[in-house]
Amino acid sequence: MMRIPLQLVFIVTLAHEVLSPHIAHAQPGAGSVVRVLVTYQQVDPFLPWQYQAPAMKSGYGVAVSSNLILTTENLVRSARLVELQQPRAGEKTMADVLISDPQVNLALLRVGQNMPAMPPTIVEIAEQLDRNAPLTILQINETGEEQSGGGRVLQVGMNDLPSAPYACLSATVISDLNINGEGAPAIQDGRLAGIFISYDASTRVGIMLPAQLLARFLSDARLPPYEGFASAGFSWTPLIDPAKRAYLRVPPEEDGRGILVLACFPGTGARESLKPNDVIVKWDSFILDNLGFYEDPDYGRMQMSYLIKGRRKPGESVPVSIIRDGQPINIVVRLSRWDDNQNLIPENFSGDPVPFLIDGGYVLMELTGRYLRAHGANWERVVDPRLVQKYLFERHQAETQGQRVVILAGVLPDSSNIGFHEIRNAIVTSVNGQMVANMEDVFKTVDKDGGLHRLTLKSVGVDIVVDQIARQEVNERLAAQYRIPFLRYRPPPPRQR
Amino acid sequence: MKRKPHFYFVAWTASCLLSLPPLSTAASVSAIRASVVKIHATFQIDDYTMPWQAERPMSGTGSGFIIEKKRILTNAHVVSNARFLQVQKDSDPRRYPAKVLFAGHDCDLAILQVDDPAFFQGTTPVTFGKALPRLNDEVIVLGYPLGGDRISLTRGVVSRIDYSVYMHSGVDQHLVLQVDAAINPGNSGGPVLYNDKVVGLAFQGISWAENIGYAIPLPVIRRFLDDIKDGEYEGYPELGTATFGVKNDALRKDLGLPKGKSGIVVYYVDPFTSAYGILKERDVLLSIDGSRIEDDGSIKLDGESVLFAEVLERKQCGEDAVFQVWRDNAEISVRVPLKRWVDPFLYRHRYDQKPKYFMLAGLVFSPLTRELMMSLERTPPNRQFHQLVYCMTYAKMDDLYHGRDELVVLVRRLPHPINTYSDSFVSGILVEVNGSFIARLEDIPAALKKPLNGFHVLKFLGMDDFLVIPAEAASQATEECLTQYGIPAASNIEKETSK
């Protein structure tokens, strides 16, 4: 059973959206860039029944077909309204987000019906970023004029995305153009070589998603269902220390090779075939060095995660050579799409609605990284150390699929819950005497029992008890007093894949 | 709960020193001033991340006053970690060497002894008052604060009588007397007088507030003097129950507590305290020694509303407290013998105790202490630091204490080729060496005697990764680190435990 992130919006078909032949020849890529104006809104981390004030941001998109615009996922994240604006034009055109994937920070927009007369020029995607050829970067200046500048690729590799907890193929680019928005395209030899996700004006260095990643994303998007990028589902560490290698009885002929498996996540292929303390010496027939790099036929020295995310797809299985208990063995590891939502404590970086329940004024929800960070820059010192420790040390350590940390985030004061007003950020272990592993368990229990009767908190030997006679009345009063439109949000069950 | 971990660090007030106003009781004060002494201390704090050595010695001054038996009463924080102590009277240029006879770190009180009988010539022991002054009663503070060399007097009124954390230990809470008389650095240990009698001892202030000075009140001083009568300071016993008031009707119904009864319900009992095994979770404490406990934890004592803990505050180890308890739908009487409070997982400030350490191949291990945390706080915090904070707060509640005498921390890595891949473990809590559980620092040398296939394998709390040191090369690496980093010994365990 796979959880599908909410950001993925599936479309019936994109097959007819073939690249049309309107390719500009005069100025390479000229006319292909549009300004993307986004109004976005995220759920209030503390009051999960309401949204934060809508805010705006802008960046760029690039036309990849007559009505499809490629941009970054981060730009259109939590979008309420997406509008496009062409160079030298004030008119705005609405667009929909067709697909967005935070694992590669890419999104595909479909242009609305009433696009102004001049359509953007379409740019063809290069097969691959040429690391040695110069780049022409396009954007729009304050007067609405298209602007371009040069850039040079410094490095290509798997790097952590700044926008979400995933690593992805990206290029480091030095540019003399002060890139003023994400999504700005870079052209190489008349074709799209990449789009920028960040730029630091002080060092003049930006991070760009390269053409091959864009091409893969687009071809996946054109053939629904969108499959996304693969993951194996384990954590590892370099294995350099000779003492540790000797202790693990890695044979001397493997010197300089191999990484150490630390943990395998539940519900993944790694959990089925790998074990902690396995030493992976070969992945998908590529030899891994002791830092986790291999020699890629296209890129040279490359991080192993590219073998999974770049060269394979979810659902495929790969041959893996390991040293287990001093013995070399060959195994097969199944790849699947891994999502941050499968963690014990997900980040919820998108600010999506989270499941919550308010009963008797007790606000129950699942712990997320976003909730913790909402306590301020020094949240690690402000939030209860138990929750901080859980996040810093155990956030990947779900014992079963779907396990979460259920917390009593706080209590909405009312005469019925006097005596418990001060409690907040406490871990809930049981509801109505039933152990709960996530909010879904909470909903099932309270629905079966006709409401919340009692709450057991970790290390607290006295349950919080809810008066059943007045429950309904209390809930109505609380909803009215604290202006809560609905006292629970139970997301629809995850879709089967 | 009596102990609260969260409290502002209280430093000394920085307000200007008041000039001495003429006093109506000038004559009686002049008799007392001869008994108020200045204490000169040179102290040195141990370096908890390089536990074989100490930091630079520092000096400071405080105040104290002469009591019966030719003793001087002062604050424990004035004389803690002292390497050299001298006392001086107001009208006498000579300084006399002194030594600490008793120190109560939980109540910030200490007794000094001066061997030279000449010191006591012309002095009379101060007299203590019979009862605490009340709000708005005028008090004076004597002592040797900054701003000059000679004795100083400030005057004010009692602003509040309350419970507060005693910053010297960082965790203990007792009664305090809040006064608006200026109390400044150096005043510590000086007497607070009401009607020419000592009713308190000046000890702490709040740095960002105005006219808030705290004194240790008479009952705390009396208890301390009683405690040391047998020649030993045992300290306060701790009941050890975490409670909240039964204010909620649904909870009251759930506990079956009849109308007319009130109290506080126990939700956790600390395993190192007097109530452990005697009081239970879901017990409702109805009264203590015959005084009815209200649902905010207060009782009526001498006509005043005070926390029920005040009854315990006045008791010594070995005495009992008797509770009326609502348990399993019946009222019963429960006697709790109060015992000495020894709790290795209570992270009080430590004084006059050298940190234990053990060094293996450049990896320095030492128990988790509040002092260690203060040292680590100076370095940029990493996730290990936050785990240590968690352990300080929840080691007992979350059962990490089980089977352990202390938590052992890798406090420092002294770089050496043998440990060069070990940085991610620094500040981690050591839980296992060669498959053996580490319950205390002393377990490390024993576990090292049984390497696994020629390797020492070290595991840390919350970490999937582990640390490996080749056993044969380890002792030589230890020796090399001693020379390389100028360390006198690889461990002080035997020395410290045989003390």
Side-chain angles (χ1 to χ4, degrees):
Chain A
M1 206 170 73
M2 288 291 296
R3 198 180 287 264
I4 293 169
L6 291 166
Q7 298 89 343
L8 290 180
V9 184
F10 289 89
I11 54 163
V12 182
T13 176
L14 276 172
H16 66 281
E17 308 286 355
V18 246
L19 293 174
S20 83
H22 304 280
I23 294 166
H25 294 291
Q27 179 82 32
S32 64
V33 62
V34 289
R35 204 188 281 279
V36 180
L37 305 158
V38 179
T39 307
Y40 66 98
Q41 196 179 24
Q42 300 192 324
V43 154
D44 187 314
F46 297 113
L47 311 176
W49 53 88
Q50 63 189 37
Y51 284 93
Q52 291 173 323
M56 292 191 70
K57 54 185 168 181
S58 80
Y60 298 103
V62 58
V64 291
S65 87
S66 61
N67 66 344
L68 293 179
I69 304 286
L70 186 64
T71 185
T72 67
E73 174 273 334
N74 185 54
L75 181 59
V76 297
R77 183 178 288 178
S78 316
R80 290 288 181 265
L81 178 68
V82 180
E83 291 166 311
L84 307 175
Q85 214 174 21
Q86 289 187 32
R88 297 180 167 204
E91 289 84 356
K92 294 176 187 173
T93 305
M94 220 184 97
D96 302 322
V97 180
L98 281 180
I99 285 191
S100 70
D101 186 350
Q103 302 204 5
V104 285
N105 197 6
L106 283 172
L108 197 57
L109 312 179
R110 182 168 53 190
V111 184
Q113 295 305 310
N114 56 341
M115 188 72 181
M118 188 189 75
T121 314
I122 291 152
V123 65
E124 194 184 333
I125 300 177
E127 263 175 43
Q128 193 158 308
L129 168 71
D130 181 350
R131 280 196 282 186
N132 302 313
L135 295 164
T136 305
I137 301 151
L138 304 174
Q139 64 180 17
I140 300 168
N141 71 14
E142 303 77 44
T143 64
E145 203 68 60
E146 199 169 87
Q147 199 179 32
S148 68
R152 189 162 51 83
V153 178
L154 299 177
Q155 177 249 341
V156 178
M158 296 294 286
N159 295 304
D160 287 336
L161 287 170
S163 54
Y166 303 101
C168 147
L169 188 69
S170 52
T172 312
V173 174
I174 187 155
S175 164
D176 55 12
L177 181 71
N178 191 358
I179 302 170
N180 57 14
E182 59 184 300
I187 307 294
Q188 224 172 27
D189 200 16
R191 296 192 297 175
L192 182 62
I195 65 172
F196 276 85
I197 57 172
S198 69
Y199 181 72
D200 179 356
S202 65
T203 56
R204 302 196 304 150
V205 169
I207 307 291
M208 186 183 84
L209 303 174
Q212 51 271 44
L213 186 77
L214 312 186
R216 160 99 185 257
F217 171 75
L218 271 183
S219 71
D220 194 354
R222 285 205 174 92
L223 288 171
Y226 180 80
E227 291 192 308
F229 293 76
S231 210
F234 65 95
S235 61
W236 59 272
T237 185
L239 187 55
I240 304 155
D241 187 354
K244 206 183 228 170
R245 297 181 67 90
Y247 169 70
L248 291 164
R249 289 184 286 152
V250 181
E253 59 266 27
E254 301 287 0
D255 271 1
R257 297 175 185 166
I259 56 166
L260 178 64
V261 176
L262 293 178
C264 305
F265 307 142
T268 64
R271 190 63 164 259
E272 295 156 10
S273 46
L274 282 170
K275 284 182 185 172
N277 289 1
D278 281 351
V279 177
I280 304 175
V281 290
K282 211 189 258 184
W283 185 276
D284 211 355
S285 56
F286 288 93
I287 290 167
L288 301 185
D289 72 11
N290 56 14
L291 288 165
F293 285 81
Y294 71 102
E295 207 56 39
D296 189 272
D298 298 330
Y299 301 102
R301 186 168 178 268
M302 192 69 174
Q303 290 97 327
M304 77 155 302
S305 55
Y306 186 70
L307 283 176
I308 300 167
K309 286 201 158 69
R311 295 196 163 267
R312 289 291 187 172
K313 286 182 174 169
E316 293 181 342
S317 290
V318 294
V320 175
S321 303
I322 59 168
I323 311 288
R324 179 178 290 169
D325 304 323
Q327 299 301 316
I329 23 174
N330 294 315
I331 57 166
V332 171
V333 178
R334 180 179 61 86
L335 304 179
S336 55
R337 188 177 161 92
W338 169 264
D339 192 274
D340 180 60
N341 272 323
Q342 288 163 267
N343 281 321
L344 178 69
I345 304 173
E347 294 293 346
N348 190 20
F349 50 84
S350 317
D352 293 326
V354 292
F356 72 90
L357 172 76
I358 303 170
D359 204 341
Y362 302 103
V363 184
L364 302 184
M365 52 202 239
E366 288 169 353
L367 187 62
T368 63
R370 180 167 184 262
Y371 175 78
L372 290 169
R373 289 195 175 79
H375 287 80
N378 60 342
W379 65 271
E380 287 148 310
R381 287 172 183 271
V382 178
V383 182
D384 185 292
R386 188 190 259 155
L387 298 189
V388 175
Q389 192 269 348
K390 270 231 170 306
Y391 176 80
L392 295 178
F393 283 82
E394 298 173 21
R395 70 171 175 274
H396 302 300
Q397 296 178 4
E399 284 161 31
T400 54
Q401 277 191 75
Q403 189 192 3
R404 295 289 170 82
V405 179
V406 177
I407 57 166
L408 171 58
V411 182
L412 299 170
D414 179 77
S415 55
S416 65
N417 52 34
I418 282 177
F420 301 118
H421 293 173
E422 314 296 321
I423 303 175
R424 62 191 155 104
N425 292 343
I427 294 179
V428 175
T429 54
S430 294
V431 164
N432 299 353
Q434 286 289 117
M435 299 264 279
V436 288
N438 50 36
M439 278 308 289
E440 191 51 32
D441 285 357
V442 175
F443 291 123
K444 280 181 191 155
T445 307
V446 298
D447 288 351
K448 179 168 65 72
D449 300 345
L452 179 65
H453 296 205
R454 56 174 63 233
L455 271 177
T456 312
L457 306 179
K458 189 173 165 74
S459 318
V460 176
V462 178
D463 285 354
I464 292 176
V465 193
V466 184
D467 187 357
Q468 292 307 299
I469 299 163
R471 226 189 91 241
Q472 189 64 29
E473 188 194 318
V474 167
N475 282 339
E476 280 165 21
R477 184 169 62 219
L478 281 164
Q481 261 169 357
Y482 291 95
R483 306 179 68 180
I484 305 169
F486 41 95
L487 292 167
R488 60 153 69 190
Y489 170 63
R490 185 182 188 178
R495 274 190 257 184
Q496 296 286 337
R497 283 192 75 172
Chain B
M1 216 170 149
K2 207 167 97 182
R3 285 176 282 114
K4 265 193 191 168
H6 309 293
F7 195 80
Y8 286 100
F9 180 76
V10 178
W12 289 96
T13 60
S15 55
C16 291
L17 191 71
L18 298 174
S19 56
L20 301 186
L23 270 178
S24 55
T25 54
S28 42
V29 166
S30 69
I32 293 166
R33 66 184 272 186
S35 301
V36 179
V37 303
K38 186 171 188 175
I39 299 167
H40 301 265
T42 302
F43 55 94
Q44 195 179 27
I45 295 164
D46 291 301
D47 183 340
Y48 277 73
T49 63
M50 292 173 66
W52 49 88
Q53 62 189 33
E55 292 175 9
R56 270 184 293 176
M58 291 182 287
S59 54
T61 62
S63 309
F65 51 91
I66 294 167
I67 57 168
E68 296 290 342
K69 296 188 192 168
K70 296 201 184 323
R71 288 170 168 183
I72 297 165
L73 184 66
T74 183
N75 278 134
H77 77 252
V78 170
V79 297
S80 290
N81 294 322
R83 300 290 189 249
F84 184 62
L85 276 179
Q86 287 176 311
V87 289
Q88 189 181 13
K89 288 182 289 181
D90 181 38
S91 49
D92 190 343
R94 277 175 296 171
R95 294 182 183 186
Y96 297 78
K99 59 187 178 201
V100 180
L101 208 53
F102 299 100
H105 296 296
D106 57 352
C107 63
D108 198 0
L109 290 170
I111 299 278
L112 306 187
Q113 181 183 297
V114 179
D115 289 334
D116 191 342
F119 175 76
F120 293 97
Q121 276 169 19
T123 69
T124 44
V126 299
T127 1
F128 287 102
K130 291 264 182 289
L132 272 181
R134 292 177 182 268
L135 290 192
N136 202 32
D137 281 345
E138 196 176 84
V139 291
I140 59 174
V141 179
L142 289 173
Y144 297 88
L146 51 76
D149 282 334
R150 301 198 60 198
I151 195 164
S152 139
L153 183 149
T154 57
R155 185 203 289 259
V157 296
V158 174
S159 319
R160 179 152 51 187
I161 299 173
D162 204 352
Y163 274 88
S164 187
V165 170
Y166 278 38
M167 293 312 295
H168 178 61
S169 85
V171 296
D172 296 273
Q173 268 198 64
H174 306 293
L175 210 58
V176 294
L177 198 65
Q178 184 190 316
V179 298
D180 69 349
I183 292 185
N184 285 296
N187 263 126
S188 285
V192 176
L193 305 176
Y194 172 60
N195 285 341
D196 309 328
K197 303 242 175 7
V198 174
V199 291
L201 183 144
F203 84 122
Q204 64 189 27
I206 296 180
S207 56
W208 41 265
E210 282 179 38
N211 301 332
I212 293 183
Y214 290 105
I216 300 175
L218 204 51
V220 179
I221 298 173
R222 280 220 189 96
R223 198 207 157 276
F224 172 73
L225 296 175
D226 279 352
D227 193 325
I228 59 172
K229 270 184 184 156
D230 56 2
E232 189 190 14
Y233 182 68
E234 291 188 299
Y236 281 77
E238 172 68 24
L239 183 66
T241 52
T243 59
F244 53 78
V246 186
K247 298 177 182 177
N248 187 279
D249 289 339
L251 176 67
R252 171 181 280 276
K253 259 188 251 172
D254 192 55
L255 295 163
L257 192 65
K259 276 211 164 71
K261 291 200 188 296
S262 73
I264 51 179
V265 62
V266 176
Y267 68 85
Y268 175 74
V269 186
D270 185 307
F272 292 93
T273 56
S274 304
Y276 190 67
I278 300 171
L279 291 173
K280 297 176 178 173
E281 289 168 352
R282 286 178 68 82
D283 276 357
V284 182
L285 310 183
L286 305 170
S287 73
I288 177 168
D289 288 0
S291 298
R292 176 190 156 99
I293 302 176
E294 300 297 331
D295 66 12
D296 63 350
S298 68
I299 56 168
K300 284 273 184 298
L301 199 67
D302 310 330
E304 295 271 348
S305 185
V306 295
L307 278 181
F308 84 98
E310 179 60 22
V311 174
L312 299 162
E313 286 278 308
R314 301 180 183 189
K315 292 188 189 256
Q316 301 285 349
C317 298
E319 292 182 51
D320 292 343
V322 180
F323 291 92
Q324 283 304 110
V325 172
W326 186 260
R327 179 187 292 173
D328 300 332
N329 288 308
E331 187 173 330
I332 55 167
S333 183
V334 178
R335 181 175 295 272
V336 180
L338 299 172
K339 58 177 194 182
R340 197 171 177 162
W341 190 17
V342 184
D343 179 357
F345 298 93
L346 174 71
Y347 294 97
R348 272 193 178 120
H349 282 296
R350 286 158 49 97
Y351 301 97
D352 303 311
Q353 283 170 282
K354 289 187 183 64
K356 294 190 291 184
Y357 73 93
F358 182 88
M359 193 265 277
L360 164 73
L363 304 171
V364 183
F365 296 94
S366 192
L368 176 61
T369 55
R370 199 181 184 93
E371 270 56 36
L372 173 63
M373 289 301 281
M374 287 168 71
S375 302
L376 294 177
E377 209 155 21
R378 292 178 216 152
T379 58
N382 56 10
R383 66 179 196 139
Q384 301 282 12
F385 176 83
H386 296 294
Q387 176 158 271
L388 294 175
V389 173
Y390 160 72
C391 289
M392 284 181 75
T393 322
Y394 284 111
K396 285 179 282 185
M397 275 196 161
D398 286 3
D399 249 13
L400 290 167
Y401 81 99
H402 233 102
R404 287 195 169 95
D405 291 345
E406 60 201 7
L407 293 165
V408 177
V409 182
L410 173 55
V411 297
R412 181 180 287 275
R413 178 177 80 88
L414 301 164
H416 182 278
I418 202 168
N419 61 32
T420 195
Y421 305 103
S422 314
D423 261 343
S424 59
F425 301 97
V426 174
S427 301
I429 295 173
L430 183 68
V431 292
E432 210 182 283
V433 174
N434 298 334
S436 297
F437 181 73
I438 298 300
R440 64 195 71 78
L441 190 70
E442 289 79 357
D443 288 348
I444 302 178
L448 291 175
K449 289 188 180 132
K450 293 171 276 178
L452 303 177
N453 300 323
F455 296 96
H456 296 312
V457 181
L458 287 69
K459 292 192 175 163
F460 293 83
L461 190 68
M463 293 188 76
D464 295 314
D465 201 2
F466 50 91
L467 198 160
V468 177
I469 298 283
E472 212 166 289
S475 38
Q476 198 193 326
T478 303
E479 291 304 316
E480 285 167 5
C481 285
L482 290 179
T483 323
Q484 209 172 327
Y485 294 98
I487 303 168
S491 166
N492 67 350
I493 295 177
E494 278 141 44
K495 249 195 284 177
E496 289 305 304
T497 41
S498 61
K499 254 188 183 176

